[in-house]
Amino acid sequence: MKSVIIYYSKSGRTEKVANRLLKDTGSDIIKVKPKKEYGKYPLAVARVMREKIMRIKPEYINSIPDLSEYDTVFIGYPIWASAPPAFLTSFLKECDLKGKTVIPFATSGMADISSTLVKLKESCRGSVIKYPFTATSKKESYKDWISQFNG
């Protein structure tokens, strides 16, 4: 099984999980970046809400990768307004994920990843989403999650 990790991290929490996953799976890794960075927390929240209400699609700076050699795509993101970041879902819509297994992981102060899965499914058409995981501070939960597919 050849895998790749596609992720975005603003505060570094999602990046920590992505790097741990990289170490544990030997996957390739791609960090998706917004064209315009999100500022400090209050400004970022206001921008995210404005983008959501006005249905603005923020741009990303990455080029679309060739994912044909991968069977599994891990997708990591912070949960913003009960969804993955809009620029990340725009990026994913451009990726060819047909026939891929998508394994999402998210970080959040309060929300669970389940609130993001509808939006993620819209962005990852033709893929099968399995083993969603909300990263917490408990190391046991990460070990339980990774043991589901890394057996």
Side-chain angles (χ1 to χ4, degrees), residues 1-15:
M1 166 178 92
K2 185 145 177 157
S3 59
V4 62
I5 302 163
I6 297 174
Y7 79 99
Y8 168 70
S9 183
K10 179 184 176 326
S11 69
R13 287 181 62 213
T14 306
E15 189 161 48

Side-chain angles (χ1 to χ4, degrees), residues 27-139:
S27 301
D28 292 332
I29 194 163
I30 300 168
K31 183 175 184 177
V32 180
K33 297 179 182 178
K35 188 171 184 177
K36 181 182 176 194
E37 282 294 331
Y38 288 79
K40 294 192 184 278
Y41 183 75
L43 295 174
V45 170
R47 178 176 163 193
V48 167
M49 294 308 295
R50 186 176 66 254
E51 289 170 351
K52 187 173 183 175
I53 291 167
M54 299 179 75
R55 297 179 189 214
I56 297 170
K57 289 184 179 180
E59 297 177 16
Y60 47 86
I61 60 172
N62 301 66
S63 51
I64 302 301
D66 176 4
L67 301 175
S68 61
E69 64 183 276
Y70 301 104
D71 302 310
T72 303
V73 180
F74 294 95
I75 300 175
Y77 50 89
I79 300 173
W80 290 354
S82 300
F87 73 89
L88 182 63
T89 57
S90 293
F91 176 83
L92 294 171
K93 284 180 184 178
E94 298 299 320
C95 293
D96 183 4
L97 296 170
K98 290 181 186 129
K100 310 283 185 210
T101 298
V102 169
I103 303 177
F105 62 96
T107 55
S108 173
M110 299 183 324
D112 181 77
I113 196 169
S114 59
S115 66
T116 71
L117 295 180
V118 169
K119 192 69 169 171
L120 191 64
K121 286 176 186 176
E122 291 172 6
S123 303
C124 300
R125 295 195 187 274
S127 67
V128 176
I129 296 177
K130 292 182 173 182
Y131 314 116
F133 174 67
T134 307
T136 65
S137 59
K138 294 185 208 172
K139 290 183 180 180

